[in-house]
Amino acid sequence: MAARVLPLLVVVVVAAAMARAPTAHAWGKEGHYMVCKIAEGFLTKEAATAVTELLPGWAGGELAETCSWADTERFRGNRLPELSVHAMIDKTLRTIMYGYGYGDCHNTNGEKDMCVVGAINNYTNALEDSSSPYDPTESLMFLAHFVGDVHQPLHCGHVKDLGGNTIIVHWYTRKSNLHHVWDVNVIETALKEFYNEDVSTMIKAIKMNITDEWSNEEKQWETCRSRTKTCADK
C-alpha cells in the first residue's frame, strides 16, 4: 500500500507551486502543512488507510501535522539515521537539488544521490520494502517532507549561490536571502494580506487553482514506469 502513496503525494505539491507559496529548507511549517493537507485529498482510500496506520499518535490521524517533523528534528540537533548507502539524512536535509535531472543529483562535495530526489527515492524504497530496517513511520514523514521540498524552485538551484541562500535581498523592509523569501516570507505575507492569517482559507484558494492542464497531471504522475526510481526527477 505504501508504494502507492508517493505518486499521489507528488501531484498535489503542484498546487503549492502554482500558488507561489514558498522556508530556508524548502517551505516553513505553514508551507509544508498546506502541501500535505492538499495531498491528503488526493490519496486513494487504500493509500489513506495505509498512511493513517503509519502516523504517530501525536499527529491525531492527520498527515499534514507530521510534514515539518524533519525540520523540527534537525533544529533540535538530533542526529537523524542513515538511509541505505548514501549519507546521513541530517546532511541530506541541508542538500539542495543541483541540476535538473536525477543524473545531476549530488551535494557540494560531489557525493552522488545526495539531493532531495535521492531522498525521495530512498524513503520510497524503504516504505515499499517490508524487510527494511528503517522505521516506516519516520520514512513516511521524511517522504512527505521531501516531496514538498522538491517543489521549492530554489532546490533546483545553483551550487555557486547555494540555491539562493547567498543572494541577499529585502522583502519589503526585512533583510533576507532569496531562498528564505521563497520558503517563508511569501507565505507569511500572503496569509496576512489576502487570507486573514487563515491557513484553511489559503488552502482552499490553492485547490481552486488546480484547473485546466494542471488538473490532469495526477494521471501523469501515476504512470511512472520505473520500478527502481519514483520519477520525482521529472
Side-chain angles (χ1 to χ4, degrees):
M1 289 188 289
R4 302 180 185 179
V5 173
L6 177 70
L8 292 171
L9 276 172
V10 172
V11 62
V12 164
V13 194
V14 172
M18 283 191 64
R20 298 298 188 266
T23 168
H25 332 96
W27 311 132
K29 184 175 181 179
E30 290 82 4
H32 275 293
Y33 180 90
M34 288 191 286
V35 167
C36 286
K37 195 63 181 174
I38 297 171
E40 290 176 350
F42 281 82
L43 295 174
T44 64
K45 183 177 180 179
E46 183 182 19
T49 299
V51 166
T52 300
E53 291 174 351
L54 289 175
L55 291 176
W58 53 262
E62 188 175 359
L63 175 65
E65 289 292 338
T66 73
C67 291
S68 295
W69 170 83
D71 280 339
T72 300
E73 290 298 296
R74 183 163 62 84
F75 292 149
R76 290 174 177 171
N78 292 339
R79 185 174 176 82
L80 302 175
E82 187 174 18
L83 189 62
S84 74
V85 297
H86 298 311
M88 296 305 297
I89 296 305
D90 61 342
K91 188 175 182 181
T92 304
L93 277 167
R94 295 192 296 272
T95 303
I96 296 170
M97 179 183 170
Y98 300 117
Y100 300 100
Y102 184 72
D104 297 321
C105 179
H106 59 82
N107 63 11
T108 53
N109 296 323
E111 295 173 278
K112 185 175 173 56
D113 295 330
M114 284 293 294
C115 75
V116 67
V117 169
I120 289 172
N121 288 333
N122 293 341
Y123 285 114
T124 298
N125 291 336
L127 283 169
E128 290 179 332
D129 183 3
S130 60
S131 65
S132 171
Y134 302 103
D135 184 275
T137 293
E138 291 190 358
S139 293
L140 173 65
M141 293 191 293
F142 272 126
L143 177 60
H145 181 86
F146 284 124
V147 169
D149 278 1
V150 76
H151 286 79
Q152 206 274 44
L154 292 173
H155 278 253
C156 291
H158 301 287
V159 175
K160 63 182 180 181
D161 60 34
L162 300 179
N165 275 288
T166 65
I167 300 176
I168 304 303
V169 298
H170 281 82
W171 180 253
Y172 295 90
T173 60
R174 185 186 310 175
K175 186 177 181 180
S176 186
N177 68 67
L178 186 59
H179 195 102
H180 191 266
V181 166
W182 265 96
D183 274 355
V184 178
N185 298 143
V186 172
I187 284 184
E188 288 181 342
T189 301
L191 278 170
K192 179 180 179 180
E193 299 293 332
F194 305 114
Y195 302 106
N196 197 31
E197 303 284 4
D198 188 340
V199 173
S200 296
T201 301
M202 188 167 177
I203 289 173
K204 290 178 181 178
I206 293 172
K207 291 168 77 171
M208 289 177 65
N209 284 325
I210 309 178
T211 58
D212 301 325
E213 67 271 18
W214 294 88
S215 63
N216 297 320
E217 289 207 347
E218 178 181 356
K219 298 301 180 184
Q220 296 178 31
W221 286 107
E222 289 179 335
T223 56
C224 179
R225 298 180 183 278
S226 174
R227 293 185 176 276
T228 58
K229 296 181 181 178
T230 62
C231 295
D233 51 323
K234 295 182 181 180

